Structure formats: structure tokens, C-alpha cells
Amino acid sequence: MRKSKAGLFLMELLISLLFFAFAGAICLQLFVGAHNQNTSSTRLGMVSVLLTSYAESFYNLDSYDDIDGTLYYNEHLNKCSDIIAVYSVEASITSDDYYDYMHVIIKESETEEVLQEYDFKKYIRRTIDATQE
Amino acid sequence: MPHKNNRVNLNLGSSSLLLIFVVLSLVSFAVLSLSTALSDKNMTEKNLTRNIAYYEACSNAQSMLKEIDDVFFDIYSHSSDSSEYTDSCLTSSFSFDTTIISFDDKPSALSFTLPVGDYQSLYVVVTPTYASSNGKLYSIDSWQLITTSQPKIDFSIDVIK
């Protein structure tokens, strides 16, 4: 009498499926971890670009009208309204007799989480009126 | 008419082989994507840290410019002509290290450096200007990052010996 292998095959299939489910769950965690790291990396990159942009504007421009106050940016770092913003940047500029100071706070717009905070300082160079000397 | 056998021939072990192949592929891609994401994040963090170090040096350089401006203004108040002003400016002392730069064997500018990270420095060159058209006591002729030492790049690969 010939013995059927169907039962054995079914058993193997079930064990395979169980193992696949287990391995799949672990791999899914790895993929999700990679996605989270990637999101975090993108965010850090944007923070770096925003910080550099504000710093260069501060050090190279005579007027700070374009950067003073709170500005909102979308995911492509274009200026936008606060409703659709991904990042917000608060720049407060103060001065004393010798220096201009800029305090920058970069936040994630939705959660208000502070991503980066930094203080900049720029010396106001003395100007001599040579005609009066 | 011969009888046609429609039964699929299911070999024992074929599903296990397929499973091994699929799981290996899946694990490989998952590990590769995670390692790429981690190294990307590491790189971005380093970039941000380096940017912050650069602007820290820029802020410190502003304090040095103030000191230079104060000293140059004092010299300017007591100088009668350009050469006296320039000579006095270049020989004056500061609270930080400066180097005199010569063009055509004639001392004409001051330079100072500030460290930016382990391998780079911010290099600033300041030239005293007497009665310049913009009324400034000096011009900034260089504001650049220079490499001070070669970074030790780790080319080793972790292998089990």
C-alpha cells in the first residue's frame, strides 16, 4: 500500500510559514528602524541647512529684515504659511555697542520640538570719518 | 485516449528551499538598508557638528576682530601717516597669537587662526587700512577654512581572524 506524502508536506509548509512569519517580523522591524533613522537623518540635514543659511545671512547682510522673527518652511525648505509648515525658525536679533547677536531656535512645526538652538555674534566694525580727522 | 495526470508533483523540501532563499534575501536587504540609514545619519550628525564648530570659531573670531579694532583705533589716533599706522599696527601685541604676512618682502597684514574641529582651522587675514574710503581701520582679506593636519582615515575592515 502506497503511503501519502501530503500530510508531511503540509506539516513542512506550516513550519515554513511559521518561520517565515517570525523572520518577516524581525525584518519588518529592521526596515522600520531604517526608515526612522532615515527620517531623523533628513531632519538633521534640514536643520544643518537652515542653520547655515541663517548664519550666512547674519554674517554677510547689513539688514536683518529677511531673517528676524519667526519664519516657516515646508519639507523642501521653501518659505510657507504656518499651517503647512514642517519647520519653524525663530530668530531674535539684538545689539549692544559692539556686537550684533542672533539667537536661532529651529523647531519641528507640528510638535514644537526644538531641533537646534544656537547663538551667533557679529562685531560691528568701527567706522572713522577720515574727513574730520 | 491516454489518461492525463493533473496532479501537481509536490516534492518534500521544495517549500523549505524557497523559504530559505526568501528569508536570506529579506534579511540581507533589511540589514543593508539599516546600515545605510545608520551611516547616513552618522554622516549628517558629523556635518552638523562641523558646521556648529565653524560658527563657534566665527563667533570667537568676532571677539578677536574687536580687540584688533580697538588696538588699531588707538594707533590710528596717534598716527600721522599711513606707513606709521601700518607699521605700528603690525608690531602691536594682542591677547592671541598673530602672524605678520609680507607681500614683496614688505610686512603688510596680520593673520590669526582658530581651531575648527580636529583637522581644520579658520584662517583670518587682516590688513590695516589708513583713511580708507569706507572709513574702516582694516580690511578682512581672508576668512577661510584651512586643513591643519591630515585626518587618520580608518581603512580597516572588521573581520574574524
Side-chain angles (χ1 to χ4, degrees):
Chain A
M1 189 180 146
R2 200 175 159 195
K3 200 175 177 183
S4 170
K5 288 182 180 176
L8 205 58
F9 179 76
L10 198 64
M11 182 70 79
E12 186 196 5
L13 204 63
L14 275 174
I15 292 168
S16 297
L17 279 173
L18 276 175
F19 183 68
F20 180 76
F22 179 69
I26 291 171
C27 287
L28 197 68
Q29 279 189 339
L30 289 177
F31 278 122
V32 169
H35 179 261
N36 288 342
Q37 293 293 337
N38 198 34
T39 308
S40 168
S41 171
T42 307
R43 209 169 57 169
L44 271 181
M46 294 301 186
V47 166
S48 184
V49 171
L50 281 171
L51 195 74
T52 307
S53 163
Y54 270 72
E56 291 304 320
S57 299
F58 177 67
Y59 282 121
N60 295 307
L61 298 178
D62 294 326
S63 165
Y64 307 126
D65 294 342
D66 283 348
I67 52 172
D68 201 7
T70 305
L71 293 172
Y72 298 93
Y73 297 87
N74 63 15
E75 70 270 27
H76 305 297
L77 296 189
N78 295 321
K79 281 180 190 169
C80 64
S81 69
D82 58 335
I83 304 159
I84 56 165
V86 178
Y87 304 101
S88 70
V89 184
E90 289 175 32
S92 51
I93 295 166
T94 52
S95 299
D96 62 15
D97 291 343
Y98 304 111
Y99 297 101
D100 286 337
Y101 301 93
M102 178 171 72
H103 182 68
V104 174
I105 305 170
I106 301 171
K107 288 180 184 173
E108 198 171 81
S109 197
E110 196 180 332
T111 58
E112 290 281 307
E113 181 195 350
V114 175
L115 302 174
Q116 189 70 44
E117 203 168 344
Y118 199 75
D119 288 303
F120 297 92
K121 182 170 82 173
K122 182 168 95 171
Y123 177 57
I124 307 165
R125 286 168 67 185
R126 189 182 269 116
T127 305
I128 305 295
D129 188 356
T131 56
Q132 291 181 358
E133 293 292 319
Chain B
M1 193 175 167
H3 175 70
K4 197 176 176 183
N5 188 6
N6 284 331
R7 285 178 64 189
V8 180
N9 192 14
L10 297 170
N11 289 324
L12 211 60
S14 56
S15 64
S16 297
L17 276 175
L18 186 69
L19 175 83
I20 289 166
F21 176 73
V22 169
V23 167
L24 272 178
S25 311
L26 209 60
V27 168
S28 305
F29 284 122
V31 169
L32 279 174
S33 63
L34 186 63
S35 73
T36 308
L38 282 171
S39 56
D40 268 0
K41 193 185 175 192
N42 195 20
M43 183 85 168
T44 318
E45 276 173 351
K46 276 185 182 173
N47 184 39
L48 182 63
T49 309
R50 205 195 66 85
N51 275 349
I52 287 171
Y54 171 73
Y55 289 114
E56 182 82 44
C58 283
S59 286
N60 291 336
Q62 300 297 322
S63 305
M64 293 172 168
L65 287 180
K66 183 191 177 301
E67 188 177 334
I68 288 173
D69 208 20
D70 289 344
V71 171
F72 284 10
F73 178 69
D74 193 42
I75 294 167
Y76 180 82
S77 322
H78 300 98
S79 300
S80 53
D81 58 19
S82 173
S83 62
E84 185 189 348
Y85 170 72
T86 306
D87 291 344
S88 303
C89 286
L90 296 178
T91 51
S92 53
S93 59
F94 300 93
S95 64
F96 49 90
D97 289 336
T98 55
T99 310
I100 297 171
I101 297 174
S102 300
F103 292 112
D104 298 330
D105 293 334
K106 191 182 169 192
S108 56
L110 280 177
S111 74
F112 60 90
T113 56
L114 290 126
V116 178
D118 296 332
Y119 309 110
Q120 288 186 309
S121 287
L122 177 66
Y123 176 71
V124 182
V125 175
V126 169
T127 306
T129 52
Y130 186 81
S132 63
S133 57
N134 63 2
K136 305 292 183 193
L137 293 168
Y138 60 89
S139 65
I140 299 168
D141 294 333
S142 177
W143 190 279
Q144 62 176 353
L145 276 177
I146 54 167
T147 304
T148 48
S149 63
Q150 277 303 110
K152 287 172 189 162
I153 301 166
D154 186 10
F155 288 110
S156 63
I157 300 169
D158 293 330
V159 287
I160 301 165
K161 286 180 182 173

Short mmCIF file of all heavy atoms in Angstrom, two decimals, chain A residues 52-74:
data_model
loop_
_atom_site.label_atom_id
_atom_site.label_comp_id
_atom_site.label_asym_id
_atom_site.label_seq_id
_atom_site.Cartn_x
_atom_site.Cartn_y
_atom_site.Cartn_z
N THR A 52 22.94 77.01 8.63
CA THR A 52 23.95 77.62 7.77
C THR A 52 23.36 78.83 7.04
O THR A 52 24.01 79.88 6.94
CB THR A 52 24.43 76.59 6.73
OG1 THR A 52 24.84 75.42 7.41
CG2 THR A 52 25.60 77.11 5.93
N SER A 53 22.16 78.66 6.55
CA SER A 53 21.50 79.74 5.82
C SER A 53 21.33 80.99 6.69
O SER A 53 21.65 82.11 6.28
CB SER A 53 20.14 79.23 5.34
OG SER A 53 19.33 80.29 4.97
N TYR A 54 20.85 80.78 7.92
CA TYR A 54 20.66 81.91 8.84
C TYR A 54 22.00 82.53 9.23
O TYR A 54 22.13 83.75 9.31
CB TYR A 54 19.89 81.46 10.09
CG TYR A 54 18.40 81.61 9.91
CD1 TYR A 54 17.69 80.77 9.08
CD2 TYR A 54 17.70 82.63 10.54
CE1 TYR A 54 16.33 80.92 8.88
CE2 TYR A 54 16.34 82.79 10.36
CZ TYR A 54 15.67 81.94 9.53
OH TYR A 54 14.32 82.11 9.33
N ALA A 55 23.00 81.68 9.48
CA ALA A 55 24.32 82.18 9.88
C ALA A 55 24.95 83.03 8.78
O ALA A 55 25.45 84.12 9.04
CB ALA A 55 25.23 81.01 10.22
N GLU A 56 24.87 82.54 7.55
CA GLU A 56 25.48 83.29 6.44
C GLU A 56 24.75 84.60 6.20
O GLU A 56 25.37 85.61 5.89
CB GLU A 56 25.49 82.44 5.16
CG GLU A 56 26.44 81.25 5.23
CD GLU A 56 27.88 81.63 5.54
OE1 GLU A 56 28.35 82.65 5.00
OE2 GLU A 56 28.52 80.93 6.34
N SER A 57 23.42 84.58 6.34
CA SER A 57 22.65 85.82 6.19
C SER A 57 23.06 86.82 7.27
O SER A 57 23.25 88.00 7.01
CB SER A 57 21.15 85.55 6.32
OG SER A 57 20.74 84.68 5.32
N PHE A 58 23.21 86.30 8.48
CA PHE A 58 23.57 87.17 9.61
C PHE A 58 24.95 87.80 9.43
O PHE A 58 25.14 88.99 9.65
CB PHE A 58 23.51 86.35 10.91
CG PHE A 58 23.92 87.10 12.14
CD1 PHE A 58 23.15 88.14 12.63
CD2 PHE A 58 25.06 86.75 12.83
CE1 PHE A 58 23.52 88.83 13.77
CE2 PHE A 58 25.45 87.43 13.97
CZ PHE A 58 24.67 88.47 14.45
N TYR A 59 25.91 86.98 9.00
CA TYR A 59 27.28 87.48 8.90
C TYR A 59 27.51 88.34 7.65
O TYR A 59 28.41 89.17 7.63
CB TYR A 59 28.28 86.32 8.90
CG TYR A 59 28.53 85.76 10.29
CD1 TYR A 59 28.27 84.44 10.59
CD2 TYR A 59 29.00 86.58 11.31
CE1 TYR A 59 28.48 83.94 11.87
CE2 TYR A 59 29.20 86.09 12.59
CZ TYR A 59 28.95 84.77 12.85
OH TYR A 59 29.15 84.29 14.12
N ASN A 60 26.72 88.13 6.62
CA ASN A 60 27.03 88.81 5.36
C ASN A 60 26.07 89.94 4.98
O ASN A 60 26.38 90.70 4.08
CB ASN A 60 27.07 87.79 4.21
CG ASN A 60 28.21 86.82 4.41
OD1 ASN A 60 29.34 87.22 4.60
ND2 ASN A 60 27.90 85.54 4.40
N LEU A 61 24.92 90.02 5.64
CA LEU A 61 23.97 91.08 5.28
C LEU A 61 24.04 92.22 6.29
O LEU A 61 24.32 92.01 7.46
CB LEU A 61 22.55 90.53 5.22
CG LEU A 61 22.27 89.42 4.20
CD1 LEU A 61 20.82 88.96 4.30
CD2 LEU A 61 22.56 89.91 2.78
N ASP A 62 23.78 93.42 5.80
CA ASP A 62 23.74 94.57 6.70
C ASP A 62 22.37 94.72 7.35
O ASP A 62 22.24 95.24 8.44
CB ASP A 62 24.09 95.84 5.92
CG ASP A 62 25.54 95.80 5.45
OD1 ASP A 62 26.38 95.24 6.19
OD2 ASP A 62 25.83 96.31 4.36
N SER A 63 21.34 94.29 6.61
CA SER A 63 19.98 94.37 7.14
C SER A 63 19.48 92.96 7.48
O SER A 63 19.68 92.02 6.71
CB SER A 63 19.06 95.00 6.09
OG SER A 63 17.73 94.78 6.45
N TYR A 64 18.84 92.84 8.65
CA TYR A 64 18.38 91.52 9.09
C TYR A 64 16.87 91.34 8.92
O TYR A 64 16.28 90.44 9.50
CB TYR A 64 18.75 91.30 10.56
CG TYR A 64 20.21 91.52 10.87
CD1 TYR A 64 20.60 92.41 11.87
CD2 TYR A 64 21.20 90.86 10.16
CE1 TYR A 64 21.94 92.62 12.15
CE2 TYR A 64 22.53 91.07 10.43
CZ TYR A 64 22.90 91.94 11.43
OH TYR A 64 24.22 92.14 11.70
N ASP A 65 16.27 92.20 8.12
CA ASP A 65 14.81 92.16 7.97
C ASP A 65 14.30 90.81 7.46
O ASP A 65 13.21 90.37 7.83
CB ASP A 65 14.34 93.26 7.02
CG ASP A 65 14.60 94.64 7.62
OD1 ASP A 65 14.81 94.70 8.85
OD2 ASP A 65 14.61 95.63 6.86
N ASP A 66 15.11 90.19 6.60
CA ASP A 66 14.66 88.93 5.98
C ASP A 66 14.68 87.75 6.93
O ASP A 66 14.04 86.72 6.67
CB ASP A 66 15.56 88.59 4.78
CG ASP A 66 15.20 89.45 3.58
OD1 ASP A 66 14.14 90.10 3.63
OD2 ASP A 66 15.98 89.47 2.61
N ILE A 67 15.44 87.85 8.01
CA ILE A 67 15.56 86.68 8.90
C ILE A 67 15.00 86.91 10.30
O ILE A 67 14.78 85.95 11.04
CB ILE A 67 17.03 86.19 9.00
CG1 ILE A 67 17.97 87.34 9.37
CG2 ILE A 67 17.46 85.52 7.72
CD1 ILE A 67 19.38 86.90 9.68
N ASP A 68 14.79 88.15 10.66
CA ASP A 68 14.31 88.47 12.01
C ASP A 68 12.86 87.99 12.17
O ASP A 68 12.05 88.12 11.27
CB ASP A 68 14.40 89.98 12.25
CG ASP A 68 14.42 90.29 13.73
OD1 ASP A 68 14.47 89.35 14.53
OD2 ASP A 68 14.37 91.48 14.09
N GLY A 69 12.56 87.42 13.33
CA GLY A 69 11.21 86.95 13.62
C GLY A 69 11.06 85.46 13.39
O GLY A 69 12.04 84.74 13.29
N THR A 70 9.82 85.01 13.30
CA THR A 70 9.56 83.58 13.09
C THR A 70 9.16 83.33 11.64
O THR A 70 8.25 83.98 11.12
CB THR A 70 8.43 83.10 14.02
OG1 THR A 70 8.79 83.41 15.37
CG2 THR A 70 8.20 81.61 13.91
N LEU A 71 9.85 82.41 11.03
CA LEU A 71 9.55 82.05 9.64
C LEU A 71 9.25 80.56 9.58
O LEU A 71 9.78 79.77 10.36
CB LEU A 71 10.72 82.40 8.72
CG LEU A 71 11.02 83.89 8.54
CD1 LEU A 71 12.31 84.09 7.78
CD2 LEU A 71 9.88 84.60 7.84
N TYR A 72 8.43 80.19 8.61
CA TYR A 72 8.00 78.78 8.48
C TYR A 72 8.48 78.21 7.15
O TYR A 72 8.48 78.91 6.13
CB TYR A 72 6.48 78.68 8.59
CG TYR A 72 5.96 79.15 9.92
CD1 TYR A 72 5.55 80.47 10.11
CD2 TYR A 72 5.90 78.28 11.00
CE1 TYR A 72 5.11 80.91 11.34
CE2 TYR A 72 5.45 78.71 12.23
CZ TYR A 72 5.05 80.03 12.40
OH TYR A 72 4.61 80.46 13.62
N TYR A 73 8.87 76.95 7.19
CA TYR A 73 9.40 76.30 5.99
C TYR A 73 8.73 74.95 5.78
O TYR A 73 8.45 74.24 6.74
CB TYR A 73 10.91 76.09 6.13
CG TYR A 73 11.68 77.39 6.23
CD1 TYR A 73 11.88 78.00 7.48
CD2 TYR A 73 12.19 78.01 5.11
CE1 TYR A 73 12.56 79.20 7.59
CE2 TYR A 73 12.88 79.21 5.20
CZ TYR A 73 13.06 79.79 6.44
OH TYR A 73 13.74 80.98 6.54
N ASN A 74 8.54 74.61 4.49
CA ASN A 74 7.98 73.28 4.19
C ASN A 74 9.10 72.23 4.10
O ASN A 74 10.26 72.54 4.39
CB ASN A 74 7.12 73.31 2.93
CG ASN A 74 7.93 73.67 1.69
OD1 ASN A 74 9.16 73.64 1.72
ND2 ASN A 74 7.26 74.03 0.62
#
